[in-house]
Amino acid sequence: MFDLQENLVLKTRSNEVYTIKTSGNIWCIKYGGANYKLNWSKIIVDNELLILLKNYMVYRLLSKSSSTVINSDFRFLKKMSSSNLNYPFEYNKVIFFLSSSGDYNTTYGFKSFYKWALNKGCKDFKNSFYLKIKELKIKRKNSYEAIFLNQDYLSESEEMKIIDSINDLDLINGLSSIYEIQNKVILHLAYELSPRPSQFYTLNVSDFKIFTNKSGKKYYSINLSMSKKRKSLEIEKRKRSISDSLSSKIEKLLSLRDKRNSEDTPTPLFCDIKDKRLSVKDFSQIIIKELKDIGVHKSATDLRHNLAQNLADQGASAEIIAELLGHNSTIPARAYIASTPKIAEIKATALAKNNKYKEIMTMMTTGEIIDESTSDKERSVKGVVNGQYIGGIGSCGLPTNTSCPKNPVYSCYTCVKFHPFKNGNHYSIKKNLQKQAQYFIDIAENGNDLEHNRPVTQLENTIQAVDKVINLINGLNE
């Protein structure tokens, strides 16, 4: 056993330095302008295990971000307290505890704790034991599954209300309260760049930049922190251009507060009535209130989803979407891209209205679209996609006594012998292909093999081909 580090010095995302006295029962961890208490007197485990857990938490706080500790490790400790596990651990009891919890954070937390103790050479921690529990897998909820099912985070009328509000200069000029102006700036920034509340929280006056070219033209930018670096202790900020209208509002806000850009003094860009930095929770509540005041019942998260979906609809790559949202992974961006049929629909509609049907037909990857009533039943295509049986989507042009050497349904939409039915359930095909693509993406990301993954690419090509059929049918029905 080893001694516990007495004073733990930590730094918040706003560069505030604070100390945790580890000898006390209550550790106060600061994150996003709020204090989160870890009460060790409520962690009911034997004394030897308690000392180990405290040392492990010191390691986690020094090596991981506070948000990771609060959102993941707190849950692990709570589960450990109610587990009735005795130290030294018994394999069967550990497996029962982890399996019955059904919680990814608990399973990951225990594995991480055991590996840390093993590397520290702690008594009764064995490599053979760790290798056994390492193999235990708990299904993790797909964070981006809902993206496939929701393509319109803001309706057209809701988006127009927001645009009208942020462009209402008379309203802004008529405001006298610095906090009312500040709230309008927050709403405008939330719509234009859609930062997370945690990104708002780290903004300083020095992050607002003004550049003037030789002809006197001014350009404006703001430095936003990367939003998804959960495991990182350091804050990485990246420059983002902002509109002249948003910049003028920020300049007005700063002139009223009499604050100027300073690299040496990290003055918060947004403050409360006591001139203290607004908390993460404050930003969430302000955005919800400002939206509600104009008749839009949405949140900061909805605005982020809307921005990402709009970028995907306009053909932005996964890398660009990830960069603009501050993500280190392209996984969520790929989910937005996979869920959007809008660009293809717009193109197909425009071409149909311009009597370009013949040109569209040359772009098709399938045979001619037909009515199901004109097709022989024995030629009907059937198959299984993502574990779901699907039939009645089209007719195969191969001779009836010929078996297709390719995989039915998956290969049909890129085959000229396939004749899609005008009333076929092609949306169901697309939905199931997207879910299967996301499944492959998750597996590939876990194996660090996403960049050149042929199954994902093949599924994406098939999804695009299904989109073409859907859009052509929509054009024919107009």
Side-chain angles (χ1 to χ4, degrees), residues 275-383:
D275 216 26
K276 300 291 185 181
R277 187 182 297 269
L278 290 175
S279 70
V280 169
K281 186 177 180 180
D282 289 333
F283 286 109
S284 296
Q285 292 176 340
I286 288 170
I287 292 168
I288 289 173
K289 180 185 178 301
E290 289 297 311
L291 289 172
K292 185 178 179 180
D293 286 348
I294 58 176
V296 178
H297 299 277
K298 299 291 183 180
S299 66
T301 301
D302 293 313
L303 295 182
R304 278 181 67 78
H305 285 315
N306 184 68
L307 174 62
Q309 194 64 66
N310 284 343
L311 289 169
D313 290 344
Q314 294 172 47
S317 68
E319 289 74 20
I320 289 175
I321 296 173
E323 171 69 18
L324 290 176
L325 291 184
H327 289 157
N328 290 312
S329 168
T330 60
I331 296 299
R334 290 179 186 276
Y336 289 110
I337 291 171
S339 70
T340 179
K342 291 184 178 179
I343 285 296
E345 287 178 357
I346 290 169
K347 288 179 179 178
T349 301
L351 288 168
K353 287 181 178 178
N354 287 317
N355 297 317
K356 295 288 186 179
Y357 180 72
K358 289 183 179 180
E359 291 182 25
I360 293 176
M361 290 300 291
T362 64
M363 296 163 55
M364 286 187 64
T365 54
T366 67
E368 184 181 356
I369 294 171
I370 62 174
D371 290 318
E372 185 175 3
S373 59
T374 64
S375 172
D376 295 333
K377 288 186 178 179
E378 61 267 25
R379 293 182 181 274
S380 182
V381 175
K382 306 177 182 68

Side-chain angles (χ1 to χ4, degrees), residues 390-452:
I390 295 174
I393 58 169
S395 175
C396 181
L398 289 173
T400 53
N401 61 346
T402 304
S403 60
C404 180
K406 299 180 180 180
N407 192 355
V409 181
Y410 289 93
S411 300
C412 292
Y413 287 87
T414 54
C415 176
V416 294
K417 295 291 185 180
F418 174 62
H419 298 278
F421 291 152
K422 187 182 292 187
N423 62 340
N425 193 2
H426 307 291
Y427 283 102
S428 179
I429 296 290
K430 179 182 173 183
K431 179 180 176 181
N432 281 284
L433 285 170
Q434 287 172 336
K435 287 183 177 180
Q436 192 159 17
Q438 187 63 47
Y439 172 74
F440 276 111
I441 287 171
D442 291 339
I443 292 176
E445 187 193 30
N446 291 334
N448 295 318
D449 187 31
L450 186 60
E451 188 174 356
H452 303 292

